Amino acid sequence: MARTRASDFEEKQHQLLLTAANVFATQGMEKASMSQIASEAGVSKSLLYHYYPSKDALIFAIIEGHLDELDAALEEADDPALPPRDRLEQLVMTVLDAYKGADDQHKVQLNAGPALSDEQKAGITKIERRIVKHFSNVLNEIHPQLDTPERPLLMPVTMSLFGMMNWVYMWFRDGGKISREDYARVATTLILEGVKGVR
């Protein structure tokens, strides 16, 4: 007989993924073991393997869940009725908000490449492209000259913005003199004003 799901299954699963992400982020992909993750999560090793049959499946679940949540948040926040600059800043703020408390998942995402299969990488890339599209669409609306056959700069500019957002966890501290809102404005301004000087 198949196991029935407990009413708090999703909450427990989410907590398990958070714990696993912390172990991977602190111990590294190679050193972290399923036994260690099960122990840290307070579950049996057999239960962990029941839901995640391998370490790469667990790593994939962490990244997929993290990116799916970000994509959903961006879908909800993206408001075409806003002036383009405000729309872009709102998207940047949404990413920075999504990264709050998610440093472990973010580190796993950045370092998981060698641990994943080609199929898993393709699944993650598909979500990442949806996320990036939110930003490239707005940047193209503001500066359509970035997307020309002669100088296809839309993607390099878009990914430069992601560079500013993705590495914020390395230096940003909540409660400091610079808030997430402050940095959202800074990143938006740097991209939009910087693009004006691109020739």
Side-chain angles (χ1 to χ4, degrees), residues 95-170:
V95 170
L96 297 180
D97 266 342
Y99 286 173
K100 188 175 183 178
D103 287 357
D104 291 337
Q105 296 97 306
H106 197 59
K107 289 175 187 176
V108 172
Q109 179 191 354
L110 292 173
N111 298 302
L116 299 177
S117 68
D118 289 343
E119 184 179 357
Q120 289 167 330
K121 289 176 185 176
I124 288 170
T125 297
K126 186 176 180 180
I127 307 171
E128 288 176 333
R129 284 176 177 165
R130 291 202 307 264
I131 290 169
V132 168
K133 194 72 174 172
H134 288 287
F135 290 85
S136 62
N137 284 345
V138 184
L139 285 168
N140 189 45
E141 182 180 348
I142 298 171
H143 291 291
Q145 71 273 18
L146 291 173
D147 193 24
T148 63
E150 298 78 24
R151 295 195 73 199
L153 293 172
L154 180 60
M155 194 51 61
V157 169
T158 303
M159 297 316 295
S160 294
L161 176 56
F162 270 91
M164 286 191 277
M165 294 186 293
N166 284 348
W167 293 99
V168 72
Y169 79 93
M170 294 289 289

Side-chain angles (χ1 to χ4, degrees), residues 34-48:
M34 295 291 272
S35 296
Q36 182 182 8
I37 291 166
S39 176
E40 291 287 335
V43 300
S44 68
K45 190 175 174 182
S46 61
L47 180 64
L48 179 61

